Amino acid sequence: MSRIPSKAEILDWISANPTLTSKRDIAKAFGIKGSDRIDLKRALKELEAEGHLEKRKKSYGDPDRLPPVSVLLVKAPDADGDLFAQPLEWHGEGVEPIVLVLPRASDPALGEGDRILARLTVVQGGEHNYEARLIRRIGSNPKRVLGVFRKRSEGGRIVPIDKSASNEWIVADDATHGARDGELVEAEQAGPKGRMGLPRARIVDRLGDPSAPKAVSLIAIHQHGIPDAFPDAVVAEADAAKPMPLKGREDLRDMPLVTIDPSDARDHDDACYAHADDDPKNPGGHVVWVAIADVAAYVRPGTALDREARKRGNSSYFPDRVVPMLPDRLSGDLCSLHEGVPRPCIAVRMQLDAEGNKIAHKFVRGLMRSAASLHYGEVQEAMDGAPNDRTGPLLQDVIKPLYAAYAALKAARAARQPLELNLPERKIILGQNGAVKSVNFRERLDAHRLIEEFMILANVAAAETLIAKRAPQLFRVHEEPSPEKLDALRETAAAAGLTLAKGQVLQTRHLNALLNAAAGTDEAELINISTLRSMTQAYYGIENFGHFGLALRNYAHFTSPIRRYADLIVHRALVTSHGWGKDGLDPAEIDKLEQTATHISDTERRSMMAERDTTDRYLAAFLSERVGNEFTGRINGIARFGVFVKLDETGADGLIPVRSLGREFFHFDADAGTLMGSDTGLIIAIGQEVTVRLTEATPVTGGLQLELLTLDDKPLPRSRRTSPAGRSGGKRKASKIKRKTDKIKRKVVRKKR
């Protein structure tokens, strides 16, 4: 084909081939060569001028696209029986994209005219642009149940695992989804709620053995009482929400704000942009913009949405699923800063000097359009000299200025000296069947630290603004360690030959000096763990006691209102204090702010416990096939009943029962955190390196039981006592052992030398 394509043909090509949008790609597709390229260039410029395309470096693309979660209108099946849908919130002026709906076997039947919420995947090179998977029908909110399926001659029943559930559920023969007797299943209500008889259900997911990995997170959710089903009124309010217009907002759509998140992120609540400050009074300075999804515009005080968000307090994250604070219509769509989609935001412009100190800031309520949804790895690779097709066009004007501003913030952080713990975070990778595929430790890139510093800076700006305006707000509080915990840390440090000074007001720089002194030594992990354990738990409060760990006087959570109710409160306070609208804090909400702070601090702890239990169960299932194998690890806890060990390979925690340590009696010294053998004098303490054998792994409880083989690379000494009677003899020596322990407890970690 050598003729110049029409504008419609060009738009069709770009829509169908979103990754092949450079002028060279378009010319190659239509066989345009030589001087004809001038006519193609002219056609592209006209399309750009008409608003159908926008040029990004050397490529062209529709200025708007569909978000990953979208509302669709189902069309009638075509001649081949395929089901297509029309996007109801298409903002582009080009050719409307074609969306193919791919029903699952467990999905309810869809018909022409149905409005659905669906998750979209971009299709390249096909006859359609997106493929859609049903989340649910708009206007429907079928109740869900988790339970054990019991097969009957026709169909079966579901016995809920929730103890508070009063009824079993009937499953018709054609709604079993192939489930077998005894399997754990997830089902949803089938048909209208009847007044008489048991409710009916349709199985939508088979989870297999109730003790299998795929069921782990669901069981934890129910055990800890985390709400995972939205009431009808909440879903109805979310479904009624519409995209926000520009009216009353600052237009930020031309600013190249980008989101940088994990590669598997489904929602994006923060975006950033930076550039060199052109103010001659601030040589070498930077301007940093942080834009946050404007959730307050959709979740108004006193509504069903607001009551449910407060009840949940926060989203809960598990290796295989997320229990969101807000319905997917908001969390995955209207409140998520998706690439190329106009979204309301509250943004803060922060001015930094050359040393990274914030010298000014201001907040605006705006409408933005993310230039790109990037992930940490590709951003870091771009800075390291290996940009891809997505990051290459953004490298000079967007990514490098972000890193330049971060370099200045690093200098300010070094001067401030927040607590610098070195405790790698583990990440569980699941396979297709929901079982653990591998356990890795998360890599900490500069891209992670960059976003972290920008978010901290924005949180500080929010707290300072509300303090200056004397507005009610929720602070994120982290108080300094108690004197008792500091004394315990000093003893641990002394046992390792290190010093934590006494008789002065403790600051994070003192703890950092201790951590730096331990770095690279055998005691490094012990000191990091002990320092972490000396810390108090952060909480939300209406009184500003500062954030000890971050070494900040004023701190509030502002940057994640999709997943934290505290941030939504701060957004509302900013709306009220700036006079931006009627969707700010109301008097009733202000009156119960202290109760809200206590409640969401509790829900945060609830989620942490459920997430920890889930991780333990996944790791136990992963290791259950390796019972009898030997592992290296380090002791990270001592109790009267046994020794806790963190395994090096996976970070899993296991228990060595005290009864398995030998026939001798072990004296437990709570102050020193040691166990000492009455016969051998063997001392077991936190931080020692061990080799252990895995003797038991119980996925249902998440428990790992271990056998101690070596301590600090030395085999265990053999006790002279050979009968159980020796244990009682050991007890009579307890007072003598206590005196001996007191003398040497400062040297327990150095026992191997």
Side-chain angles (χ1 to χ4, degrees):
M1 183 176 182
S2 58
R3 68 176 180 84
I4 302 299
S6 67
K7 293 180 181 179
E9 288 172 329
I10 293 174
L11 291 174
D12 284 342
W13 164 260
I14 291 174
S15 180
N17 301 273
T19 62
L20 301 173
T21 56
S22 69
K23 186 176 70 174
R24 181 179 180 183
D25 291 329
I26 298 170
K28 184 177 180 181
F30 290 97
I32 300 172
K33 300 179 180 179
S35 60
D36 289 340
R37 288 175 178 263
I38 298 174
D39 293 328
L40 175 62
K41 183 177 181 180
R42 184 182 301 113
L44 291 172
K45 281 190 172 294
E46 290 175 0
L47 285 169
E48 185 182 359
E50 293 166 4
H52 296 302
L53 296 178
E54 75 174 355
K55 189 173 182 181
R56 297 176 181 173
K57 294 296 182 181
K58 297 181 179 180
S59 65
Y60 290 85
D62 196 296
D64 294 289
R65 65 195 68 192
L66 294 178
V69 175
S70 290
V71 177
L72 309 175
L73 179 66
V74 177
K75 300 178 180 179
D78 65 7
D80 297 323
D82 290 331
L83 206 59
F84 289 89
Q86 175 189 358
L88 291 182
E89 293 170 10
W90 169 242
H91 300 284
E93 298 180 3
V95 177
E96 185 177 89
I98 301 171
V99 182
L100 174 65
V101 180
L102 299 178
R104 304 178 187 87
S106 59
D107 286 347
L110 297 176
E112 182 180 7
D114 282 341
R115 292 171 68 240
I116 64 172
L117 191 66
R119 188 167 299 281
L120 305 185
T121 303
V122 176
V123 176
Q124 300 174 359
E127 295 181 355
H128 51 277
N129 312 110
Y130 294 89
E131 291 179 349
R133 291 284 190 179
L134 176 71
I135 296 176
R136 60 177 171 80
R137 282 195 186 98
I138 294 292
S140 70
N141 184 35
K143 185 176 180 180
R144 292 224 164 189
V145 61
L146 180 71
V148 177
F149 178 67
R150 295 303 179 191
K151 184 74 174 173
R152 301 292 171 91
S153 57
E154 291 186 5
R157 292 195 179 190
I158 296 173
V159 181
I161 67 167
D162 189 348
K163 294 179 181 178
S164 64
S166 57
N167 291 327
E168 295 182 358
W169 292 60
I170 297 175
V171 182
D173 197 42
D174 61 352
T176 64
H177 196 36
R180 298 177 180 178
D181 185 65
E183 280 190 324
L184 187 71
V185 297
E186 191 173 12
E188 67 179 20
Q189 177 188 324
K193 299 176 182 177
R195 294 184 179 180
M196 304 292 291
L198 296 176
R200 295 184 173 272
R202 173 177 52 249
I203 293 175
V204 296
D205 198 6
R206 296 169 55 192
L207 304 174
D209 183 347
S211 64
K214 198 173 182 182
V216 166
S217 59
L218 283 172
I219 292 173
I221 289 165
H222 282 254
Q223 283 183 335
H224 288 275
I226 296 174
D228 65 336
F230 287 101
D232 292 346
V234 175
V235 173
E237 282 187 6
D239 287 349
K242 301 294 182 185
M244 289 290 165
L246 178 61
K247 184 179 179 181
R249 297 178 177 272
E250 189 163 329
D251 192 347
L252 305 177
R253 288 176 294 178
D254 291 334
M255 184 182 294
L257 289 153
V258 296
T259 62
I260 306 175
D261 294 288
S263 57
D264 56 354
R266 288 190 171 186
D267 57 64
H268 312 278
D269 50 12
D270 57 82
C272 56
Y273 169 62
H275 61 83
D277 193 356
D278 56 7
D279 185 347
K281 297 180 181 179
N282 187 29
H286 305 268
V287 172
V288 174
W289 282 86
V290 171
I292 307 298
D294 189 356
V295 177
Y298 292 102
V299 183
R300 306 293 183 96
T303 60
L305 270 169
D306 179 50
R307 289 192 297 272
E308 184 67 16
R310 184 183 186 274
K311 175 183 175 182
R312 295 181 177 222
N314 50 266
S315 298
S316 299
Y317 292 83
F318 302 92
D320 64 334
R321 70 187 67 237
V322 176
V323 180
M325 186 179 77
L326 301 172
D328 41 26
R329 171 63 168 145
L330 298 182
S331 63
D333 185 9
L334 294 178
C335 293
S336 190
L337 307 179
H338 295 304
E339 179 178 341
V341 182
R343 286 291 181 258
C345 66
I346 294 180
V348 55
R349 179 188 186 273
M350 296 173 286
Q351 191 177 16
L352 312 180
D353 63 19
E355 288 74 39
N357 301 302
K358 180 171 65 65
I359 57 176
H361 71 266
K362 73 168 184 176
F363 284 87
V364 299
R365 203 173 199 184
L367 188 71
M368 61 161 286
R369 180 170 58 201
S370 172
S373 295
L374 306 175
H375 63 78
Y376 293 113
E378 64 182 343
V379 171
Q380 190 62 55
E381 288 171 359
M383 274 302 293
D384 292 342
N388 59 23
D389 292 342
R390 291 162 46 77
T391 56
L394 301 169
L395 182 58
Q396 294 299 326
D397 296 336
V398 177
I399 295 176
K400 285 189 175 180
L402 288 173
Y403 275 78
Y406 166 60
L409 284 174
K410 275 201 304 186
R413 181 186 177 93
R416 190 177 86 242
Q417 285 214 35
L419 187 60
E420 300 284 4
L421 290 170
N422 182 21
L423 293 169
E425 182 183 358
R426 63 192 170 192
K427 180 179 182 181
I428 294 177
I429 309 298
L430 302 181
Q432 291 285 342
N433 61 352
V436 180
K437 184 178 179 181
S438 63
V439 180
N440 301 325
F441 288 95
R442 295 181 188 271
E443 186 179 8
R444 286 279 291 167
L445 306 171
D446 277 347
H448 292 97
R449 298 183 181 95
L450 179 153
I451 294 300
E452 183 179 285
E453 287 303 309
F454 284 4
M455 297 306 110
I456 289 173
L457 196 67
N459 287 337
V460 170
E464 290 178 349
T465 292
L466 294 176
I467 290 171
K469 292 180 176 291
R470 301 181 182 276
Q473 66 164 307
L474 288 182
F475 294 96
R476 182 62 169 177
V477 179
H478 184 224
E479 298 185 65
E480 62 273 9
S482 67
E484 295 77 15
K485 288 189 174 183
L486 282 178
D487 287 341
L489 178 58
R490 286 190 180 95
E491 288 193 7
T492 302
L498 302 170
T499 302
L500 176 62
K502 196 172 184 179
Q504 57 184 331
V505 177
L506 182 74
Q507 297 180 8
T508 48
R509 60 185 178 87
H510 301 136
L511 295 173
N512 286 339
L514 173 63
L515 294 167
N516 291 333
T521 70
D522 293 338
E523 289 78 27
E525 187 171 2
L526 166 66
I527 297 302
N528 273 272
I529 291 173
S530 299
T531 302
L532 177 64
R533 288 180 174 173
S534 72
M535 294 295 108
T536 60
Q537 186 165 352
Y539 63 93
Y540 295 105
I542 59 174
E543 298 292 336
N544 183 18
F545 297 123
H547 198 294
F548 175 80
L550 291 175
L552 292 169
R553 293 180 61 186
N554 306 308
Y555 197 67
H557 273 165
F558 157 74
T559 53
S560 295
I562 291 178
R563 61 185 180 90
R564 291 189 305 225
Y565 193 76
D567 303 56
L568 177 56
I569 292 289
V570 170
H571 276 233
R572 288 174 178 165
L574 289 169
V575 169
T576 299
S577 61
H578 286 87
W580 286 332
K582 298 180 180 179
D583 47 355
L585 284 175
D586 63 14
E589 195 172 20
I590 294 171
D591 289 342
K592 63 180 182 181
L593 212 50
E594 188 170 2
Q595 298 97 304
T596 297
T598 301
H599 170 70
I600 61 178
S601 296
D602 290 341
T603 62
E604 180 184 46
R605 284 189 285 273
R606 177 182 67 184
S607 292
M608 290 172 60
M609 291 171 61
E611 291 163 11
R612 183 192 62 201
D613 289 352
T614 299
T615 297
D616 288 345
R617 288 188 173 107
Y618 270 119
L619 290 173
F622 180 58
L623 293 170
S624 61
E625 298 179 359
R626 301 173 66 181
V627 170
N629 288 12
E630 295 182 8
F631 300 87
T632 61
R634 192 176 288 270
I635 296 173
N636 68 342
I638 300 287
R640 189 178 303 276
F641 54 83
V643 178
F644 294 96
V645 173
K646 183 177 289 292
L647 302 182
D648 293 334
E649 181 183 334
T650 60
D653 293 307
L655 173 68
I656 304 172
V658 71
R659 66 178 181 274
S660 71
L661 292 174
R663 292 185 179 273
E664 63 181 322
F665 173 76
F666 275 85
H667 172 75
F668 172 61
D669 188 324
D671 294 333
T674 63
L675 286 171
M676 181 175 180
S678 61
D679 189 17
T680 63
L682 176 68
I683 295 176
I684 301 174
I686 293 174
Q688 288 179 298
E689 296 176 352
V690 296
T691 304
V692 295
R693 179 181 291 114
L694 178 62
T695 60
E696 187 178 319
T698 312
V700 173
T701 62
L704 298 177
Q705 192 162 303
L706 309 170
E707 177 188 354
L708 183 61
L709 301 178
T710 69
L711 187 68
D712 288 333
D713 295 327
K714 295 179 181 179
L716 299 182
R718 185 178 295 274
S719 171
R720 292 191 299 272
R721 300 185 184 276
T722 58
S723 68
R727 294 174 65 92
S728 60
K731 291 181 181 179
R732 289 193 295 269
K733 294 185 177 182
S735 59
K736 180 179 179 181
I737 294 170
K738 178 67 168 65
R739 290 193 298 272
K740 184 177 179 181
T741 304
D742 288 340
K743 293 180 181 179
I744 63 173
K745 64 184 179 182
R746 293 183 180 274
K747 302 178 181 178
V748 290
V749 180
R750 294 180 171 271
K751 182 70 178 175
K752 62 183 179 180
R753 292 197 265 274

